[in-house]
Amino acid sequence: MHRFLSISSKSTSLKNQKQLHLPLVSSVSSATPKGQSCSHYFNQKSPSLGSRLGFDRFISSGYFPNRVNLRGHERNGNGFLRLKGLVGEIRNYSSETDRESIDYDVVIVGAGPAGLSAAIRFKQLCREKNADFSVCVVEKGAEVGAHILSGNVFEPRALNELLPQWKDEEAPINVPVSSDKFWFLTKDRAISLPSPFDNKGNYVISLSQLVRWMGVKAEELGVEIYPGFAASEILYDEDNNVVGIGTNDMGVAKDGSRKENFQRGVALKGRITLLAEGCRGSLSQKIMKEYKLREKVQAQHQTYALGIKEVWEIDEKKHKPGAVLHTLGWPLDSKTYGGSFLYHMKDRQISIGLVVALNYHSPFLNPYEEFQKLKHHPSIKSLLEGGSVLQYGARTLNEGGFQSVPYPVFPGGAIIGCSAGFLNVPKIKGSHTAMKSGMLAAEATFGVLHGGSNMEAYWDALRSSWVWEELHRARNYRPAFEYGLFPGIALSALEHYVLKGKSPFTFKHGKPDHEATNVAKLHSSIQYPKPDGVLSFDVPTSLHRSNTNHNHDQPAHLRLRDPDIPETVNLPEYAGPESRYCPARVYEYVPDEKNQLKLQINAQNCLHCKACDIKDPKQNIEWTVPEGGGGPGYSVM
């Protein structure tokens, strides 16, 4: 689904809107509160810019609960909601190197759990204090939730604080955890272990559905959400303070020339900018480096894992809504940290996946193929037989935890959610901590704009919150596995059951993930079985199920800092590991006319998992955003 515009009583897709060169703005906007100095707004009230241009914006979130307050809304023929009769301030548009500049009080990058929680909490405070500030959320996915694959065990603690009436408002959270199992797998057996996850009171949900619902809640409060726009650069003032972001140009050909439908990106200026890009956010990485945010608090490097996931529809007799299973062991070797998960959602659907820590040593290891092997384990195979795959996807996860959290405040804004790395590794949960971080950042932001305080209040509030307590208690779990699988199990059990997170020491992480890769001569190649087309599949088949799509005629968003390194270093020394760690076959070594292997980058396949940006041995690959709306298109489940 795309957002729709109404032009002269006719609807046209976002794609067509771009061809018409119309800037997309919301008819939901906010006035500057009395007494506040905000020179970038006009003083007089008038219809929104959208109305002045002759089109209205349709709600973009795509998920609509039955009991949502529809006063002032109407449905169009496509099932979307449209706001009626709303007016707001005229935005000040200025030309900045031939692109338009739109000013907001708060600009948020990323419409995931953290970004939407921040937007909602900020607007709640506006209502409580009778203040009126404008909030804009930009999302690179074609719609809210498009880049989030279904299947999540959700802890509702943060949501209880943010939207206490979520049950009455029919949030898509209705499958409570019914059982919680933990297995150690060998090749042929599943050995039951005590479950350390404590999922009582949690729910099995589609996170994609949840953020769509949260998008509706945010828009009801007056938040302007713009899917399909990729934030590609940070904007600074003359004092090196962040003043917003720039979105990607649209309609640029692969050779860099401007096509007929070229549209210049927009500068979105914000008094405060919050980065909620998710794991390994490209702008967040630049900000951390620019302001040395890790060094400021002596944070260790971040560590990562790659999660590969499928959503299946299985036989109703085998389906147990709310059943949760986690495993360790096979198919991974004892030196590779990782494990699988299997969650029974509603409507006969299950989410199954494998998480592989990216500090693995062998360049021959292929996480995608390890996942295909997993599904043939006798205990898993019996569940999947007779079922069918609905979706496929992949994403990296932050696993550094407490030790790796950077100083999250920079001049002009803050980093929130998984961009900063709040995943609780032993719980394998980060949505609730990401949401809480967004809420705390929103409160600090409101204090800056309304009370004259500073953003450092976010850092102080974070360290005083249950997020910090939770991460501190879990801090030794992940680095314990640096010593191998079985020492890791023993040490983590000691931490969890005996010391309960109160040990007097803090383990350090090992080498950064890219440095952990050994040269090929230290390992033997791995021969993986061919897919059977029933339980296991080749990459092209899986990619089709991800709905991944990029305009082929655009500059590659995967860039080589040195184009010679793949052929002079990666291939001869590491046997071309990028052809294996990528779960989408973006990187392939193919023979040229002289029969010499050359790296071919199939950027159109990219799932936006960021594994290449993390795992490349020489850090030669830079992941940047493609045109807005590109990437996976995970549908509502």
Side-chain angles (χ1 to χ4, degrees):
M1 290 185 292
H2 293 286
R3 308 175 63 196
F4 287 81
L5 305 177
S6 176
I7 304 178
S8 302
S9 302
K10 295 181 181 180
S11 294
T12 181
S13 69
L14 178 63
K15 179 179 178 181
N16 291 335
Q17 178 265 333
K18 291 170 183 171
Q19 292 173 344
L20 290 168
H21 299 260
L22 294 178
L24 184 60
V25 294
S26 174
S27 57
V28 186
S29 85
S30 306
T32 305
K34 293 180 180 179
Q36 295 289 329
S37 174
C38 188
S39 60
H40 54 251
Y41 293 107
F42 292 100
N43 294 322
Q44 72 275 14
K45 285 278 185 180
S46 64
S48 69
L49 187 59
S51 299
R52 293 172 66 229
L53 290 176
F55 62 86
D56 297 316
R57 191 170 68 89
F58 286 78
I59 290 290
S60 55
S61 304
Y63 179 86
F64 305 105
N66 295 331
R67 297 184 185 176
V68 67
N69 180 8
L70 300 182
R71 181 176 297 176
H73 297 68
E74 65 180 16
R75 289 190 182 275
N76 73 345
N78 296 302
F80 286 80
L81 294 180
R82 183 171 66 182
L83 301 177
K84 293 173 61 180
L86 295 172
V87 296
E89 293 296 312
I90 301 176
R91 299 286 181 218
N92 175 26
Y93 284 73
S94 62
S95 177
E96 181 184 51
T97 61
D98 82 337
R99 72 174 169 190
E100 290 176 316
S101 176
I102 314 175
D103 292 318
Y104 289 89
D105 293 303
V106 182
V107 173
I108 300 174
V109 180
L116 291 174
S117 294
I120 290 170
R121 181 64 188 135
F122 183 84
K123 277 297 193 178
Q124 288 174 339
L125 290 168
C126 288
R127 287 193 173 186
E128 292 170 14
K129 303 297 183 180
N130 197 29
D132 199 357
F133 295 108
S134 56
V135 182
C136 165
V137 180
V138 291
E139 162 60 39
K140 64 182 174 66
E143 63 171 325
V144 173
H147 289 176
I148 300 177
L149 185 58
S150 300
N152 178 277
V153 175
F154 182 72
E155 183 173 320
R157 184 174 185 176
L159 186 61
N160 289 337
E161 297 177 13
L162 181 65
L163 297 167
Q165 306 303 317
W166 59 266
K167 290 184 180 180
D168 296 331
E169 297 182 10
E170 293 198 354
I173 304 173
N174 44 40
V175 181
V177 171
S178 58
S179 65
D180 193 4
K181 297 180 180 180
F182 185 42
W183 292 347
F184 178 81
L185 298 183
T186 66
K187 186 175 181 179
D188 301 305
R189 296 181 58 200
I191 302 169
S192 182
L193 300 175
S195 177
F197 298 103
D198 190 21
N199 279 312
K200 183 179 180 180
N202 295 335
Y203 295 81
V204 178
I205 70 167
S206 162
L207 190 60
S208 181
Q209 273 192 9
L210 178 61
V211 297
R212 284 169 164 87
W213 178 83
M214 290 177 67
V216 172
K217 294 293 139 187
E219 288 183 308
E220 287 176 351
L221 289 168
V223 176
E224 303 179 15
I225 304 177
Y226 300 126
F229 290 85
S232 60
E233 62 178 307
I234 296 288
L235 305 179
Y236 301 88
D237 65 13
E238 61 275 9
D239 296 319
N240 203 36
N241 298 313
V242 173
V243 294
I245 59 93
T247 66
N248 238 356
D249 292 345
M250 308 290 284
V252 179
K254 187 174 292 187
D255 62 5
S257 63
R258 295 183 176 186
K259 296 186 283 189
E260 289 184 2
N261 65 337
F262 174 80
Q263 182 180 352
R264 186 77 169 92
V266 178
L268 297 174
K269 300 289 189 66
R271 296 165 69 184
I272 297 294
T273 301
L274 301 179
L275 299 180
E277 303 172 281
C279 178
R280 194 75 172 191
S282 53
L283 298 185
S284 302
Q285 291 296 113
K286 293 176 181 178
I287 285 287
M288 283 187 269
K289 184 177 181 180
E290 171 73 20
Y291 295 107
K292 296 181 169 56
L293 298 184
R294 291 199 183 282
E295 293 83 346
K296 192 166 185 176
V297 289
Q298 288 78 53
Q300 294 181 45
H301 60 268
Q302 186 59 259
T303 66
Y304 301 90
L306 174 62
I308 300 174
K309 181 190 295 186
E310 289 175 346
V311 177
W312 283 65
E313 186 176 77
I314 63 170
D315 189 314
E316 188 172 4
K317 295 178 182 178
K318 302 176 184 178
H319 188 242
K320 300 176 181 178
V324 170
L325 169 67
H326 293 96
T327 78
L328 283 177
W330 193 89
L332 302 178
D333 61 49
S334 62
K335 294 182 179 179
T336 302
Y337 177 72
S340 76
F341 58 87
L342 195 156
Y343 308 145
H344 289 245
M345 303 185 290
K346 63 180 181 179
D347 301 329
R348 295 169 46 209
Q349 293 175 9
I350 65 163
S351 176
I352 180 173
L354 180 69
V355 177
V356 181
L358 287 176
N359 66 341
Y360 63 81
H361 302 306
S362 172
F364 296 107
L365 189 144
N366 186 318
Y368 177 87
E369 296 294 350
E370 296 289 336
F371 174 53
Q372 302 309 309
K373 284 174 59 178
L374 169 74
K375 292 180 288 181
H376 286 273
H377 190 279
S379 298
I380 306 296
K381 178 180 180 180
S382 60
L383 178 69
L384 300 180
E385 285 180 326
S388 58
V389 186
L390 303 177
Q391 288 190 336
Y392 163 80
R395 192 69 171 92
T396 49
L397 313 171
N398 303 100
E399 289 198 337
F402 180 82
Q403 295 93 317
S404 300
V405 175
Y407 187 70
V409 178
F410 53 83
I415 304 175
I416 62 177
C418 287
S419 288
F422 296 118
L423 180 80
N424 183 322
V425 175
K427 281 187 175 183
I428 322 179
K429 295 180 185 66
S431 297
H432 66 301
T433 49
M435 290 173 67
K436 181 62 175 179
S437 74
M439 294 157 63
L440 294 173
E443 290 165 3
T445 299
F446 188 82
V448 171
L449 300 183
H450 189 260
S453 62
N454 56 58
M455 281 304 294
E456 280 70 22
Y458 167 45
W459 177 237
D460 296 336
L462 189 62
R463 290 182 297 169
S464 300
S465 71
W466 53 260
V467 172
W468 204 251
E469 178 186 355
E470 185 174 310
L471 293 183
H472 183 266
R473 194 165 59 244
R475 70 195 184 281
N476 286 332
Y477 185 92
R478 174 64 186 89
F481 285 86
E482 292 290 334
Y483 304 98
L485 177 60
F486 296 107
I489 292 175
L491 288 169
S492 60
L494 177 66
E495 279 282 311
H496 184 79
Y497 294 108
V498 180
L499 298 175
K500 300 185 184 299
K502 297 180 180 179
S503 54
F505 47 81
T506 297
F507 292 148
K508 291 186 177 182
H509 297 301
K511 296 178 180 179
D513 296 335
H514 67 281
E515 293 182 8
T517 309
N518 291 334
V519 294
K521 65 182 180 181
L522 298 179
H523 297 269
S524 300
S525 63
I526 302 174
Q527 299 301 316
Y528 289 100
K530 292 183 178 181
D532 63 2
V534 178
L535 298 178
S536 51
F537 309 93
D538 58 24
V539 173
T541 300
S542 292
L543 271 177
H544 179 72
R545 293 171 176 146
S546 72
N547 295 316
T548 295
N549 182 54
H550 296 85
N551 186 335
H552 288 232
D553 188 19
Q554 66 171 297
H557 65 282
L558 302 159
R559 301 170 183 171
L560 300 178
R561 293 182 172 94
D562 183 342
D564 294 329
I565 282 181
E567 287 83 29
T568 60
V569 178
N570 284 12
L571 185 59
E573 295 186 21
Y574 297 94
E578 56 270 66
S579 64
R580 288 179 287 275
Y581 61 61
C582 174
R585 198 175 290 173
V586 169
Y587 304 95
E588 288 186 290
Y589 282 92
V590 296
D592 61 11
E593 63 279 0
K594 297 180 180 179
N595 210 32
Q596 299 293 313
L597 291 178
K598 299 291 182 180
L599 182 65
Q600 175 177 292
I601 300 179
N602 307 309
Q604 67 275 11
N605 291 359
C606 184
L607 290 168
H608 297 199
C609 76
K610 315 287 184 68
C612 56
D613 196 85
I614 297 165
K615 189 60 175 172
D616 183 74
K618 298 302 178 183
Q619 290 292 271
N620 188 45
I621 298 173
E622 180 185 10
W623 194 97
T624 60
V625 291
E627 279 192 359
Y634 304 130
S635 61
V636 180
M637 289 295 186

